[in-house]
């Protein structure tokens, strides 16, 4: 891949970011953490090649706190949904990609939510595209990172 292709990808991600709260979603239907985590990861990874590519990620912690936290320490897919293990793990990953320290109370609250609420045997059935997601409590975040 040449750097112009990467630059075009960064510009596309940055243009798609926002929708009122610095995050991403699907077809103008609002934002969600599931889609946003990959936009964040793409911009942060691009920073290794394109200086300033991840500058717009600075607003992500506010998106996570203001739009996807329901007050129990966990994070939700989008406003109005309950906290879930997958989205809380995505939130921890997104906080860290956004340079929020691991010891930050928001990160610690999310990790505590996972410790308290994650039970593999109680996971809902998943579609074929999600069969690799979250197979082991000790690899929760790692498996989420590898899913897509």
């Amino acid at each position: 891949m040449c750097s112009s292709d990467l630059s075009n990808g960064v510009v596309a991600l940055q243009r798609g970011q926002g929708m009122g709260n610095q995050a991403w979603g699907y077809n103008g239907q609002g934002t969600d953490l599931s889609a946003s985590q990959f936009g964040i990861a793409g911009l942060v990874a691009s920073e290794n090649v394109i200086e300033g590519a991840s500058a717009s990620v600075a607003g992500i912690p506010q998106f996570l706190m203001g739009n996807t936290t329901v007050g129990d320490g966990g994070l939700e897919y989008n406003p109005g949904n309950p906290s879930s293990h997958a989205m809380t793990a995505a939130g921890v990953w997104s906080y860290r990609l956004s340079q929020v320290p691991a010891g930050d109370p928001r990160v610690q609250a999310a990790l505590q939510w996972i410790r308290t609420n994650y039970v593999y045997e109680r996971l809902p059935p998943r579609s074929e595209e999600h069969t690799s997601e979250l197979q082991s409590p000790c690899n929760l975040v790692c498996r989420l990172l590898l899913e897509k």
Side-chain angles (χ1 to χ4, degrees):
M1 173 184 281
C2 70
S3 62
S4 65
D5 292 336
L6 185 57
S7 294
N8 290 339
V10 166
V11 168
L13 276 172
Q14 290 170 335
R15 282 188 186 148
Q17 186 180 12
M19 302 176 94
N21 61 8
Q22 298 299 312
W24 291 264
Y26 302 98
N27 302 321
Q29 298 176 12
T31 58
D32 66 73
L33 183 50
S34 180
S36 296
Q37 67 181 317
F38 298 108
I40 297 163
L43 291 175
V44 170
S46 298
E47 184 70 33
N48 293 319
V49 179
I50 301 172
E51 186 175 338
S54 67
S56 62
V57 172
I60 293 300
Q62 188 62 35
F63 156 69
L64 294 171
M65 288 303 297
N67 294 344
T68 61
T69 303
V70 295
D72 61 1
L75 288 98
E76 57 190 20
Y77 181 77
N78 57 22
N81 289 284
S83 296
S84 74
H85 59 276
M87 292 303 97
T88 301
V92 169
W93 182 38
S94 299
Y95 276 132
R96 297 296 292 129
L97 286 171
S98 303
Q99 303 300 311
V100 175
D104 183 282
R106 298 168 290 188
V107 175
Q108 290 301 307
L111 291 171
Q112 182 58 49
W113 189 94
I114 292 169
R115 284 189 290 273
T116 302
N117 295 284
Y118 180 78
V119 177
Y120 178 75
E121 291 78 17
R122 290 193 318 226
L123 293 178
R126 302 296 291 189
S127 65
E128 181 64 30
E129 71 183 55
H130 292 100
T131 55
S132 66
E133 183 180 346
L134 309 171
Q135 298 295 321
S136 168
C138 65
N139 293 314
L140 183 63
V141 174
C142 293
R143 292 197 182 260
L144 181 63
L145 297 177
L146 296 173
E147 178 186 11
K148 300 280 179 184

